[in-house]
Amino acid sequence: LEVEEALLCLDGAGPPDLRDLVIRLGGAILWISGQAETQDQGAARVAAALDDGSARRRFQLMLSAQGVDPGLAKALCSGSPTQRRQLLPHAREQEELLAPADGIVECVRALPLARVLHDLGAGRSRAGQPIRPGVGAEVLVDVGQCLSRGTPWLRVHLDGPALSSQQRRTLQGALVLSDRAPFKVPSPFAELVLP
């Protein structure tokens, strides 16, 4: 799921908050390393690389250099999102969780999600333990948006049986709703702290 999202970003699409973070962090790196006169110039270069496809082509070369079959690397970097999904590992089942009430998405807590996904095989506790690369979750809502009761807010990808009632409760506890007005979330790139 993360590779799919990264490839969408490399296509010049994907979640706006990921694109913003990539552009701003990349721009800062180019500026700090002397590759750009300012952070803004660096950010413009990163945005252009995402939009013109050169970042995706570079990623394809990186995949091949790290031992990925060149044909697979090319297919991942040139196919449609649907074609890519067929090439990547995916879980056997999907289960959506529904919003328990109306409200504004105040936040989605990461730790409860991580704990359940770890239990489902998306992580390991010891070196050498297998990881199920198709297991994961898609958060279907944005912080600040108005959500109606019964609307899907999370899609869990799993290989085993359905989620247990305890896992569902834990995941539902990750969604924090409020009754305030909808709001726009600030950039995840708060500030650049330099020595």
Side-chain angles (χ1 to χ4, degrees), residues 14-84:
D17 60 339
L18 175 61
R19 180 180 167 86
D20 177 62
L21 186 62
V22 167
I23 289 170
R24 293 182 68 178
L25 280 177
I29 290 169
L30 290 177
W31 172 63
I32 290 169
S33 67
Q35 303 291 317
E37 294 286 323
T38 66
Q39 274 185 267
D40 288 341
Q41 286 178 354
R45 284 183 53 199
V46 173
L50 290 174
D51 293 338
D52 70 14
S54 59
R56 187 180 58 252
R57 288 190 296 277
R58 178 63 61 160
F59 182 64
Q60 179 180 336
L61 294 172
M62 290 170 60
L63 289 173
S64 296
Q66 293 184 22
V68 174
D69 175 85
L72 176 57
K74 181 177 182 179
L76 282 172
C77 293
S78 62
S80 71
T82 302
Q83 291 168 327
R84 293 174 185 157

Side-chain angles (χ1 to χ4, degrees), residues 146-166:
C146 184
L147 192 59
S148 299
R149 179 188 172 124
T151 302
W153 75 272
L154 183 72
R155 181 176 301 124
V156 180
H157 297 252
L158 62 159
D159 282 332
L163 294 169
S164 70
S165 57
Q166 178 59 48

